[in-house]
Amino acid sequence: MKRKKVLVFRELPEDQLARLQAAHEVTVANPRIAEQRSAFEAALPEAQGLIGSSFPVDEALLARASKLEVISSVSVGVDNYAPAALHARGILLCHTPGVLDETVADTVFALLMATSRRVVELSSLVREGRWSKNIGEDLFGHDVHGKTLGLLGFGRIGQAIARRAALGFGMPVLFHARHAVDLAAHAPELLGRATHTPLDELLSRADIVVAMLPLSDSTRGMIDARVFGRMKPGAIFINGGRGATVQEPALLAALDQGTLRAAGLDVFATEPLPLDSPLRTHPRVTPLPHIGSATHETRHAMAELAVTNLLKALAGERPLAVYDTAFA
Ligand SMILES: NC(=O)c1ccc[n+]([C@@H]2O[C@H](COP(=O)([O-])OP(=O)(O)OC[C@H]3O[C@@H](n4cnc5c(N)ncnc54)[C@H](O)[C@@H]3O)[C@@H](O)[C@H]2O)c1
Ligand SMILES: O=C(O)[C@H](O)CO
């Protein structure tokens, strides 16, 4: 097979890079790193395949990539790409659904436990030498088991969160999604335990609201002052999806006005989180640096799937996971 030109725009594990190098001419250049930016720009016009993540591949960038046949994202989320432009040019977009579901659900649960039981705050009290007497009610947390979970987004990852909540913690699960989900066919273990619920009803009944939504035109800014205003007083909010689905000023207002007890955030509208963001130091926010899928095992599985997708696409075969840009 003819060797093609591949541009790797975010580092890959060595064994996965070697799979690419065995078949194609590979340039590794991360445009986020100033010293590598010119190598990235030099390779772009010749690249037939792009592979990487966490960098906006917008229409202007695509215009400089005239030979591009396929983009393989090492992520399940595809909000960094320009679906209409890709579709118009017939460029395939591949991604990594499925292999990260359980790991991301674990991260969301870690945030859910940490916020409800004030784990980070109370651990700091010990580390800073402020544990001088038995803690009193003012530092008690709230139970997680048995509480009602409201899920915004009930796709692959949302369902993995629902399984943990319903089967492990005895939590009734309410979910809001764009389409109804046939539980009998797709998640029979959740029958009778998870219920498709209109958004406002979900918000008024959930003790903990978890957002696990993709970023799209329909979800950008969707979690706004109205949504926070409908939540139960004292609710906890977790975002494991994308930061820009939330209007961050409205989130801060809900925390400061006491509607929300706490927030656990893995994702932010701007990443890395700017130093002057009030969310960084807010006493009732537990922030994480976008680590949903960041385990050795899962990041390797994502890279492996992304490389397989790219190799298949460049060989004219059907990749394992293609994102349908026609309906984005
Ligand atoms: N924090 C992280 O590290 C991390 C890791 C993986 C994924 N993610 C994010 O999580 C997202 C979800 O991943 P997934 O694999 O579960 O996706 P998925 O496509 O399987 O599920 C998406 C869910 O969102 C719902 N949805 C979409 N638009 C909606 C709208 N306007 N209103 C209501 N519901 C809507 C869909 O109906 C579906 O239930 C990804 O797109 C990505 O952005 C974040
Ligand atoms: O979309 C994803 O896969 C995660 O956010 C990791 O980048």
Side-chain angles (χ1 to χ4, degrees), residues 151-307:
L151 266 172
L152 309 182
F154 194 66
R156 293 168 289 251
I157 303 171
Q159 289 172 37
I161 297 166
R163 282 195 296 278
R164 282 160 178 72
L167 308 177
F169 286 76
M171 301 170 78
V173 176
L174 312 176
F175 65 86
H176 168 75
R178 202 163 33 166
H179 307 292
V181 176
D182 180 355
L183 288 178
H186 299 289
E189 70 281 15
L190 292 175
L191 267 176
R193 296 185 164 100
T195 315
H196 196 214
T197 308
L199 179 60
D200 282 5
E201 184 186 338
L202 177 155
L203 297 171
S204 68
R205 288 175 54 197
D207 300 296
I208 300 165
V209 176
V210 171
M212 205 60 238
L213 291 162
L215 181 60
S216 67
D217 289 345
S218 74
T219 61
R220 187 177 296 278
M222 170 180 150
I223 305 169
D224 58 8
R226 196 200 74 84
V227 166
F228 287 117
R230 297 281 157 133
M231 290 184 193
K232 246 184 176 176
I236 284 177
F237 175 69
I238 309 290
N239 192 4
R242 281 291 184 267
T245 61
V246 174
Q247 295 192 10
E248 290 178 344
L251 166 60
L252 279 160
L255 284 162
D256 290 337
Q257 289 156 11
T259 319
L260 284 184
R261 185 184 309 288
L265 308 172
D266 187 41
V267 287
F268 299 89
T270 304
E271 296 178 3
L273 185 61
L275 285 181
D276 63 356
S277 168
L279 291 172
R280 190 173 67 83
T281 50
H282 195 288
R284 283 182 286 119
V285 172
T286 303
L288 289 178
H290 200 143
I291 58 157
S293 62
T295 64
H296 291 289
E297 300 91 334
T298 293
R299 282 291 170 84
H300 190 273
M302 290 165 70
E304 187 170 13
L305 174 53
V307 168

Side-chain angles (χ1 to χ4, degrees), residues 99-174:
V99 293
L100 42 50
D101 298 348
E102 301 301 328
T103 298
V104 180
D106 286 350
T107 307
V108 165
F109 241 83
L111 276 175
L112 196 150
M113 299 294 290
T115 46
S116 301
R117 298 299 306 274
R118 304 170 70 166
V119 170
V120 178
E121 176 189 354
L122 294 176
S123 180
S124 300
L125 180 137
V126 179
R127 295 171 76 101
E128 292 164 11
R130 292 185 287 118
W131 186 25
S132 52
K133 57 181 172 36
N134 285 349
I135 66 156
E137 275 190 32
D138 57 326
L139 291 176
F140 288 177
H142 284 78
D143 281 337
V144 170
H145 66 269
K147 291 292 170 65
T148 298
L149 176 68
L151 266 172
L152 309 182
F154 194 66
R156 293 168 289 251
I157 303 171
Q159 289 172 37
I161 297 166
R163 282 195 296 278
R164 282 160 178 72
L167 308 177
F169 286 76
M171 301 170 78
V173 176
L174 312 176

